[in-house]
Amino acid sequence: MTASPDTGATAFRQELIEARNSLTATLDDAAAWQDRIRTRLLTENADTAFGRHHGFGRLRTIDDYRTAVPLRTYADYEPWINRAAEGEPSVLTPQTPRLFFTTAGSTGARKRIPVTENFLKTVYLPFFRAAMGVPATCFPDDFGPGAVTLNLRHDRLARPATTASGRPSLGPSQADLRGGFGVTMTEPGALAPWADLPVPVDDRRYLDKLYVRVRTAVAHDVRSVVGHNPSMIAILPELLAQWWPAILRDLADGTYLGMPGGRPDKDRARELERQAERAGAPTPAVIWPRIRLLYCWTSGMASLYLPRVKELYGSGVTVLPTPPSASEGPVGVPVDRHPTAGPLAVSTALYEFVDAAEDVRPDSPTLLFGELETGRDYHVVFSHVGGLHRYVLGDLAHVVDHVRGVPRVEYAGRSTLSDVAGERLREFHLFRALKATAWSTGLDVVNATFRTEEEANGPRYAVAVALRPAPRPEEVLAFGDRLDREIARQAPRYAAARARGDLAALRVQCVPPSAFTAHWHRRVAAGMRPPEVKDQVFLPDPAAWQELCEHGGRADAL
């Protein structure tokens, strides 16, 4: 196995730890920080088209700000963003955006977020660095910029797309922040041999690029794997099994996808082949026996499948959460070993919240951070100097407790609402019900997705679910009955709709775990980058649902 020193590791880790400590210290003065951020964004953006339209120069208090600026979703903001992307100056910020982050929305529609130098320096980088302070502290020898870390998130582009004004337009995971945009940031694994591909691969051949990175990494002593999106952590063992013959051949020959560019390593190929044969499969634990850390989101649907997935990486592996955040900006930042959550990043953005039971309107009353209650769920609204003002994120946050008086939040799912009979179901109702059902039935949920369907006796919900161990028909029936009751317990309006007869009983469709792997591949083949392929709690697309449920032949449906 190739020994690869973790270049610059000590300085890198120290920078992350200091950023975490600095952000943690701001929790003691959270209210003052929130006031400073509001004052700064109103002052800096007053002489912009958006600022003049809303009278920023006259606003002083939080109530002034709430009265003058309505809550806006991305769709509401898009005309302003398009003006900036087309090159109009001073639309949302006095600084011209350096680039635009693009990301797939919950419906698959692309969002485009302006990114200024001020945003990068005062919001994005402080938050991003602080978020990595916990793994840097807890795993100093296993988490760094060199070959100890396999970063499945980062995917630098050779030729990014551009806006009409010529600004780069790319995903956050594709941005090369090594000084080209007025900032310098080093990510874990950014100096590893696989950070820049050793052979040329078309930017749009996403799986080939991922294969080359993984094939390069099998020759090294990887100690940590970064996914951010947990589906990347879950899919890697499946991809290794699919790619294994090609990986061994390329490793032995010194090739990548059959292309020359490396050093032949027949000894390593033979060693890995023997280890995989003894273990029965080429799992990450077999290939990299010294893995100690997985770094990804840990709440939501991932909380159901990560415990089993973790076993494929090794018995001594720890999973630490990446922060609840979005391309538009930060929400929480982990400051300790809490398994799912972190306190609000109060020194980076101004936060407001709307109760998750409500629909968000432009004039919805909002709560400030000090008004949030433990155990409740909220729509996240934030403002920052990057030009987003009272922006409705579209994600829900769950308050798990408080740190130094600041709410500690975890990702609670998208704000997507399903409501065909007054049941008002959100994602968190469903994955919490799944977790309770799995615990009570003794069956592990590999993955699951829901949709509504019309039957002769009215609408009902159906769930396509992969379970382990493979259930008997009577266990499927019991699982469905319990899940229906758990959804009713989580969502009182669902219980009322069931009691009225407006919703029929839930239908369970058991599918093999490979059905979700095939679904992942179809989404990548349709043009989604692997880091963007997230768990789908709701799957309204009839064709995708049919393909998922028909995978592997007819499965139990009760």
Side-chain angles (χ1 to χ4, degrees):
M1 183 179 297
T2 303
S4 300
D6 196 358
T7 309
T10 300
F12 170 77
R13 285 190 285 268
Q14 190 59 40
E15 178 184 21
L16 303 184
I17 292 168
E18 289 175 359
R20 190 272 307 268
N21 292 344
S22 295
L23 192 142
T24 303
T26 67
L27 302 178
D28 293 324
D29 200 17
W33 273 103
Q34 293 287 277
D35 286 341
R36 289 187 200 114
I37 291 169
R38 186 188 70 254
T39 299
R40 181 182 179 190
L41 66 88
L42 290 173
T43 300
E44 291 193 6
N45 296 334
D47 196 25
T48 63
F50 191 94
R52 291 191 298 271
H53 181 79
H54 295 88
F56 277 14
R58 301 188 303 272
L59 308 183
R60 296 293 181 269
T61 68
I62 184 65
D63 287 336
D64 292 342
Y65 185 51
R66 285 163 157 164
T67 301
V69 183
L71 301 181
R72 284 184 170 92
T73 65
Y74 179 80
D76 301 320
Y77 244 98
E78 194 168 18
W80 299 89
I81 292 173
N82 287 344
R83 289 166 60 183
E86 290 165 4
E88 181 180 338
S90 297
V91 177
L92 294 166
T93 59
Q95 287 189 330
T96 299
R98 293 273 186 161
L99 68 155
F100 287 78
F101 282 161
T102 57
T103 181
S106 59
T107 64
R110 288 275 164 188
K111 296 180 181 179
R112 186 167 53 178
I113 308 300
V115 179
T116 64
E117 187 173 341
N118 268 356
F119 170 78
L120 288 170
K121 288 183 175 179
T122 66
V123 180
Y124 188 81
L125 294 188
F127 163 78
F128 201 92
R129 288 171 175 145
M132 294 187 288
V134 175
T137 300
C138 299
F139 294 91
D141 298 324
D142 307 310
F143 184 80
V148 297
T149 300
L150 173 58
N151 192 330
L152 298 175
R153 169 188 180 269
H154 203 234
D155 181 22
R156 294 173 186 149
L157 284 180
R159 284 181 289 275
T162 58
T163 66
S165 59
R167 297 295 174 181
S169 181
L170 68 173
S173 60
Q174 298 173 303
D176 186 357
L177 299 180
R178 293 181 293 184
F181 299 112
V183 300
T184 300
M185 185 185 74
T186 302
E187 284 199 53
L191 304 179
W194 47 83
D196 290 304
L197 299 183
V199 293
V201 182
D202 189 294
D203 277 338
R204 294 163 296 182
R205 298 183 66 86
Y206 303 127
L207 274 183
D208 284 350
K209 292 171 72 178
L210 183 57
Y211 169 86
V212 170
R213 286 193 170 87
V214 173
R215 174 264 178 262
T216 308
V218 299
H220 294 266
D221 182 18
V222 171
R223 315 273 189 85
S224 56
V225 180
V226 173
H228 287 257
N229 180 353
S231 71
M232 291 298 297
I233 299 291
I235 200 68
L236 181 58
E238 304 284 345
L239 294 176
L240 285 169
Q242 293 173 19
W243 292 340
W244 195 235
I247 285 175
L248 291 177
R249 184 169 57 251
D250 274 341
L251 182 61
D253 296 343
T255 54
Y256 303 87
L257 296 168
M259 296 182 287
R263 180 180 62 83
D265 196 344
K266 297 185 186 301
D267 290 342
R268 174 67 172 155
R270 282 193 294 266
E271 174 193 3
L272 287 174
E273 186 173 25
R274 287 193 298 267
Q275 290 173 351
E277 285 177 354
R278 284 196 297 267
T283 65
V286 169
I287 298 168
W288 303 295
R290 295 212 289 173
I291 287 181
R292 294 293 177 266
L293 171 67
L294 302 178
Y295 188 52
C296 64
W297 310 323
T298 58
S299 57
M301 192 67 77
S303 65
L304 293 167
Y305 60 74
L306 277 177
R308 181 178 285 274
V309 168
K310 186 178 76 167
E311 296 173 5
L312 300 174
Y313 287 83
S315 59
V317 169
T318 296
V319 183
L320 288 178
T322 52
S325 64
S327 302
E328 295 94 323
V331 182
V333 58
V335 296
D336 53 30
R337 281 183 179 261
H338 192 281
T340 62
L344 294 170
V346 293
S347 59
T348 63
L350 172 64
Y351 295 103
E352 300 175 71
F353 302 87
V354 176
D355 193 285
E358 305 296 328
D359 295 325
V360 180
R361 306 180 311 275
D363 62 349
S364 289
T366 59
L367 301 169
L368 301 181
F369 78 89
E371 300 172 284
L372 303 193
E373 299 177 27
T374 297
R376 299 289 296 275
D377 300 283
Y378 300 92
H379 298 274
V380 178
V381 178
F382 60 37
S383 306
H384 57 60
V385 296
L388 297 185
H389 306 289
R390 306 200 79 208
Y391 178 84
V392 181
L393 183 57
D395 288 345
L396 299 177
H398 178 73
V399 180
V400 299
D401 60 20
H402 287 70
V403 180
R404 303 186 187 184
V406 175
R408 185 185 342 233
V409 298
E410 67 181 15
Y411 173 69
R414 296 291 297 167
S415 60
T416 306
L417 181 70
S418 183
D419 191 25
V420 296
E423 71 279 11
R424 294 185 62 82
L425 283 184
R426 298 202 190 272
E427 289 187 358
F428 67 80
H429 293 129
L430 298 176
F431 59 68
R432 289 173 191 169
L434 279 168
K435 179 177 280 191
T437 303
W439 184 88
S440 64
T441 60
L443 294 169
D444 286 340
V445 175
V446 176
N447 212 324
T449 189
F450 292 78
R451 74 181 298 240
T452 58
E453 54 188 22
E454 287 288 337
E455 295 297 318
N457 58 341
R460 67 178 175 187
Y461 280 82
V463 57
V465 59
L467 298 170
R468 284 186 175 140
R472 301 186 304 276
E474 62 270 22
E475 289 179 309
V476 177
L477 184 63
F479 185 92
D481 180 65
R482 183 58 181 256
L483 180 58
D484 201 29
R485 287 185 282 121
E486 286 293 343
I487 296 173
R489 189 173 69 84
Q490 293 287 340
R493 294 192 186 187
Y494 179 88
R498 290 282 288 114
R500 292 192 306 266
D502 293 341
L503 279 176
L506 175 84
R507 181 177 73 87
V508 176
Q509 175 87 47
C510 274
V511 300
S514 57
F516 283 94
T517 303
H519 182 57
W520 185 93
H521 278 283
R522 283 192 295 270
R523 296 172 74 191
V524 173
M528 292 189 75
R529 295 188 299 109
E532 292 181 323
V533 182
K534 300 172 184 176
D535 299 317
Q536 291 179 287
V537 182
F538 292 111
L539 184 59
D541 182 350
W545 178 271
Q546 184 175 357
E547 287 181 322
L548 182 73
C549 292
E550 291 181 350
H551 180 87
R554 184 169 178 81
D556 293 326
L558 295 173

